[in-house]
Amino acid sequence: MASKVTIADVARYANVSRQTVSNVLNSPEVVKEETRQRVLDAVEALGYRVSAAARQMRTGRSRLLAVRIETTQDGMNVFDRFLHGLTESAARSGYRVLLYTAADDRAEIDTIDQLLGEFEPDGFVLTSTHHGDPRAAWLAGRGLPFVSFGRPWGAPEGVHPWVDVDGAAGTETATRHLLDAGHRRIGFIGWEPGSGVGDDRRAGWERALAAHQLDAGLVLETDGSSAQGQAAARELVERGATALVCVSDSVALGALQVVPDVVGFDDTPVAAAVGLTSVSQPLTEAAARCVELLTSRLSGRLPDRLPDRLPDRPAATHVLLTPSLVIRKEPRS
Amino acid sequence: MASKVTIADVARYANVSRQTVSNVLNSPEVVKEETRQRVLDAVEALGYRVSAAARQMRTGRSRLLAVRIETTQDGMNVFDRFLHGLTESAARSGYRVLLYTAADDRAEIDTIDQLLGEFEPDGFVLTSTHHGDPRAAWLAGRGLPFVSFGRPWGAPEGVHPWVDVDGAAGTETATRHLLDAGHRRIGFIGWEPGSGVGDDRRAGWERALAAHQLDAGLVLETDGSSAQGQAAARELVERGATALVCVSDSVALGALQVVPDVVGFDDTPVAAAVGLTSVSQPLTEAAARCVELLTSRLSGRLPDRLPDRLPDRPAATHVLLTPSLVIRKEPRS
C-alpha cells in the first residue's frame, strides 16, 4: 500500500531542504551529485514513494505515454508484440503506457485532445502512419512530444522523431534468397499502390531484380486477402513466375496454395504454423527505440526539432531498423 | 489543449458555490437534480475539463484500470483481443487502461504495489488465473477493487468478482459436433492435469461422451506444442480414434497432420488460415463484463463481498460466458 512517508520526512532524514528533495525528484541535473545521492539514499531508506497525482500537480509530468491499441482484424497483426515491448521499455524508463482506441485519424485526434484534458500524458506514440496522415501535424502544431512507429510517408522526414523497419531491405533480402536458389522469374504480390508501407516493400523486390538486370514486370495488386493472394499467384505463375515475394503473410498464405517458393512478410504465427518463410520485423527493438526517442525529448536531451547534432552525443531522431528473413524451407529453383 | 477554465468560472456561470460544482463532479448524488443540470450546462458551455491530477488530488480517484499485458508466446494468444475490448469498454465508462508487464505472479504483485504508490489505479483486472494463484488473495487482503478474467481455480468462488468463458461447454459442443457426424471414437489431446483451464476443457469432452454412454479412454497429455499434438494424434489414431478434440489450436494444428476431423480451441488466426474448426471465446463480451463488474463496484453499486442480492437490481459478480463453435469444414465419420 502507499506509504505515508512525506517529502518533509525525506528532507529531515537527508538533512536538506524540501526544495532540494523536490529538485532531486524532478530536476536532478540542478543538484550536486553528493547531495543527490544523500537524498536518494533517504528516499530508499524511508521507502518514500511519489504519488502520481502529487507529482503531476507539482511537476506537470504524468509519466504516462499514450498509444492507440489497434484492432487485430485477421489477427495477422504485429501490433501486440510492439505494444508488449513498448510497455516493458517504458517501465524501465519510469513511464507507464496508457491505452486508447479510435476508429480513424479524426477520432484519434479527438481522443488525444480529450486525454490531454483528462490525464495529461507526457508523450504519444503514433502507429500506422500513412500518406495524408493528419495526426503528426496536429501534435506537432501543439508542440506535444511524440514519436511515430512508421515513417512520415509523404511528409518531410525531419519533422518529428520516428522509428521504422526498412521494409524494402526485407523484401530485397527475400528476393535475393530466391535468386540465390536459382529462381529468375520472381513475382511480387502487393497491395494497391499509394500505401507507404506497401510501396516500400515492392521497391525492395524491384531493387534486388535490378541488381541482376532482371525485369520487374511480374507484379499484381490485391486487397491483402489470402483469396486475392491465391488468384494473383495463379495469374503470375501462368505468366511464368516460379517464385513469389509477398507484401504480407496473409497474401502469401494464398500464394502458397499455388506455388511452393513463397516468402511472406511479418513472420506471423500463421507463417510459423504453415512453414512459410517470412520477413520478420524487430518489434521489441522498435518499441525500445520509440521509448528512447520520446523519453530523451521529455527529459530535455532532444530539442523539438533538430537540424544539428551535438558532436559528443549524436542525437538519433530517426531510426530505420533492418528486418531479418526467417527461413522455414529451402527453395528449389 | 487543456482549457484554462476553472471551477470558479463554472461556479460563477452557474451561480452556485465552488463546493457545489465540486459535488456535481465528484458526488453528484448529493446535489439536487435541477442544480446539477445547471452546473453541467455551465461545464459544457465553458468547455471546463477536469485535470486528472487535480481530480485525483481531490477525489482520490485516478480513473485508471490496470492490467498486465501478456507475452504472446507462439502468437496463438487471445489476450490482444481481450485487451482491445477492455480499452473500449473502459473508455465508455470514463476509465482508461494502464498497462504493465510482469514475468510471474510475484513480480506482478510487486508491480501492482508499485503502481499503487505511483498512479493509484482505481481497479485491477487479473488475467490467466490458476491454481495456487497468490494475486487475488493479495488484492482482496488489501481491499483493492479488482475483477479477474478467469475463475478463482481451487479457491472459493464467492471471494471476488470474475468473468470467464465456459471451456467445458465449448469442448462439449465440439464433441457433440463430431458425434453428430457419426464419430464414436473421439479422442482428447490436452495439457498436463492441474491447470484449471485445461481440466475444464477436458471435462466437457468427457461429459459429451458420457451422454452417449461412450468411453473416455482416448486421452493424452502434451506440453501444448504442435509437435506433441501431432505425436499424440498419431498414438490416439493407432488406438482407434477417428476424430480429435484439442485443448488448443496449437495442439490441433499438429493433430490435423494426422487426421482430418479435429476441433481446436480459441479460434486463432492460425485456425482460420488452415481451415480448422475451433471453439471461439466471446472476448469482447468478456472484456465488457469485466469493466462492468469493476466499475459497478467503483461507483459503489456493488459491495466488496456480496452474499445478498438486491431484489430490484440482481448484482452479478460472477459471469460465465458460453463460447461458440466456428465450423470451417464438415466432419465425415
Side-chain angles (χ1 to χ4, degrees):
Chain A
M1 295 296 287
S3 154
K4 297 274 192 290
V5 181
T6 66
I7 281 205
D9 298 326
V10 175
R12 213 172 300 120
Y13 190 100
N15 199 21
V16 297
S17 71
R18 281 194 288 180
Q19 183 57 52
T20 301
V21 176
S22 172
N23 285 344
V24 169
L25 297 174
N26 304 311
S27 326
E29 64 280 6
V30 307
V31 185
K32 264 190 294 184
E33 174 58 28
E34 186 212 6
T35 313
R36 188 161 52 137
Q37 199 49 58
R38 204 161 73 235
V39 170
L40 290 176
D41 288 348
V43 163
E44 202 178 327
L46 298 175
Y48 173 72
R49 284 199 298 207
V50 185
S51 138
R55 182 183 52 215
Q56 191 172 344
M57 290 293 277
R58 209 169 53 237
T59 66
R61 287 278 174 96
S62 65
R63 308 297 288 184
L64 291 171
L65 306 181
V67 65
R68 187 185 78 195
I69 178 167
E70 298 189 11
T71 46
T72 45
Q73 296 151 348
D74 63 356
M76 301 213 201
N77 190 300
V78 298
F79 180 75
D80 56 339
R81 283 184 278 157
F82 175 76
L83 185 59
H84 194 273
L86 196 73
T87 307
E88 288 210 321
S89 291
R92 277 195 291 271
S93 298
Y95 288 84
R96 298 289 172 178
V97 171
L98 189 68
L99 284 184
Y100 60 91
T101 59
D104 56 31
D105 292 336
R106 253 313 116 195
E108 181 163 3
I109 289 173
D110 288 347
T111 303
I112 290 174
D113 197 22
Q114 201 186 340
L115 286 176
L116 284 167
E118 287 174 0
F119 292 94
E120 298 160 60
D122 289 340
F124 296 85
V125 180
L126 296 182
T127 57
S128 298
T129 53
H130 53 88
H131 286 289
D133 194 331
R135 299 170 300 163
W138 192 91
L139 288 165
R142 280 153 187 79
L144 296 165
F146 72 102
V147 63
S148 67
F149 176 39
R151 276 160 272 182
W153 301 106
E157 292 216 336
V159 170
H160 62 79
W162 56 258
V163 174
D164 204 358
V165 173
D166 189 343
T171 46
E172 188 174 7
T173 301
T175 309
R176 213 181 297 123
H177 171 69
L178 296 169
L179 286 166
D180 288 350
H183 285 289
R184 285 298 172 271
R185 296 186 60 79
I186 302 168
F188 184 79
I189 306 180
W191 295 321
E192 315 266 314
S195 100
V197 173
D199 295 350
D200 187 49
R201 291 182 185 175
R202 173 175 165 167
W205 162 78
E206 286 175 344
R207 207 156 66 198
L209 292 183
H212 282 68
Q213 284 82 45
L214 291 170
D215 173 60
L218 291 167
V219 59
L220 280 177
E221 290 142 22
T222 69
D223 62 0
S225 69
S226 292
Q228 291 211 359
Q230 186 166 352
R234 208 169 284 131
E235 188 178 331
L236 289 172
V237 166
E238 271 169 27
R239 284 162 53 186
T242 59
L244 297 167
V245 174
C246 297
V247 72
S248 71
D249 279 357
S250 192
V251 164
L253 185 71
L256 207 55
Q257 315 302 314
V258 178
V259 63
D261 288 348
V262 172
V263 181
F265 205 109
D266 271 348
D267 190 27
T268 59
V270 172
V274 302
L276 172 70
T277 293
S278 188
V279 177
S280 172
Q281 299 198 40
L283 295 164
T284 305
E285 170 79 7
R289 294 306 193 99
C290 282
V291 170
E292 192 184 307
L293 290 187
L294 199 45
T295 56
S296 295
R297 178 170 158 193
L298 291 174
S299 64
R301 279 193 282 129
L302 283 181
D304 286 9
R305 288 158 187 258
L306 50 124
D308 303 319
R309 295 173 170 215
L310 303 175
D312 57 333
R313 180 193 280 279
T317 50
H318 310 144
V319 178
L320 192 61
L321 300 167
T322 305
S324 54
L325 188 67
V326 178
I327 299 169
R328 295 212 165 79
K329 188 173 64 73
E330 286 304 327
R332 323 164 187 186
S333 90
Chain B
M1 294 294 289
S3 155
K4 296 275 193 289
V5 179
T6 66
I7 281 204
D9 298 327
V10 175
R12 212 170 302 121
Y13 190 98
N15 199 22
V16 296
S17 71
R18 280 193 288 182
Q19 184 57 50
T20 301
V21 175
S22 173
N23 285 345
V24 168
L25 297 173
N26 304 312
S27 324
E29 64 279 5
V30 307
V31 185
K32 266 188 298 189
E33 174 57 30
E34 185 213 5
T35 313
R36 189 160 49 135
Q37 200 48 60
R38 204 163 70 234
V39 170
L40 291 176
D41 288 347
V43 163
E44 203 180 325
L46 298 174
Y48 174 71
R49 283 197 301 206
V50 185
S51 136
R55 182 182 53 213
Q56 191 171 347
M57 291 293 276
R58 209 168 53 235
T59 66
R61 288 275 174 97
S62 65
R63 308 296 291 187
L64 291 171
L65 306 181
V67 64
R68 187 185 78 195
I69 178 168
E70 299 189 9
T71 46
T72 45
Q73 294 150 351
D74 63 356
M76 302 216 202
N77 190 301
V78 298
F79 179 74
D80 55 338
R81 281 183 280 158
F82 175 75
L83 185 59
H84 193 273
L86 196 72
T87 306
E88 289 209 322
S89 292
R92 275 194 291 271
S93 298
Y95 288 84
R96 297 290 172 177
V97 170
L98 189 68
L99 284 184
Y100 60 91
T101 59
D104 56 31
D105 292 337
R106 254 310 119 199
E108 181 162 2
I109 288 173
D110 288 347
T111 303
I112 289 173
D113 198 21
Q114 203 185 338
L115 285 176
L116 284 167
E118 287 175 358
F119 291 93
E120 298 159 60
D122 289 339
F124 296 85
V125 180
L126 296 182
T127 58
S128 298
T129 52
H130 53 88
H131 286 291
D133 193 330
R135 299 170 301 163
W138 192 91
L139 287 165
R142 281 157 187 78
L144 295 166
F146 71 103
V147 63
S148 67
F149 177 38
R151 275 159 275 184
W153 302 106
E157 292 216 335
V159 170
H160 62 77
W162 55 258
V163 174
D164 204 359
V165 174
D166 190 343
T171 47
E172 189 176 4
T173 301
T175 308
R176 211 179 300 125
H177 171 69
L178 296 169
L179 286 165
D180 288 349
H183 284 290
R184 283 301 172 268
R185 295 188 60 79
I186 302 167
F188 184 78
I189 306 180
W191 295 322
E192 315 266 314
S195 99
V197 174
D199 294 350
D200 186 48
R201 292 182 185 176
R202 176 176 163 167
W205 162 78
E206 286 175 346
R207 208 155 65 198
L209 293 184
H212 281 67
Q213 284 83 45
L214 291 169
D215 172 60
L218 291 168
V219 58
L220 280 176
E221 290 142 20
T222 69
D223 62 0
S225 68
S226 293
Q228 290 211 2
Q230 186 166 354
R234 209 169 282 132
E235 191 179 329
L236 289 172
V237 166
E238 272 168 27
R239 285 164 52 188
T242 59
L244 297 167
V245 173
C246 297
V247 73
S248 71
D249 279 356
S250 192
V251 164
L253 185 71
L256 206 56
Q257 316 302 312
V258 178
V259 64
D261 288 348
V262 172
V263 181
F265 205 110
D266 271 348
D267 189 28
T268 60
V270 172
V274 303
L276 172 70
T277 293
S278 188
V279 177
S280 172
Q281 299 197 41
L283 296 163
T284 304
E285 169 78 7
R289 295 305 195 102
C290 283
V291 170
E292 191 184 307
L293 290 187
L294 199 45
T295 56
S296 294
R297 184 176 152 185
L298 292 174
S299 64
R301 279 192 284 131
L302 283 180
D304 286 10
R305 286 155 190 263
L306 48 126
D308 302 319
R309 293 173 173 216
L310 302 175
D312 57 335
R313 182 194 278 281
T317 50
H318 310 143
V319 178
L320 192 61
L321 300 168
T322 305
S324 53
L325 188 67
V326 178
I327 299 169
R328 296 213 166 76
K329 189 172 64 74
E330 287 304 325
R332 324 164 187 189
S333 90

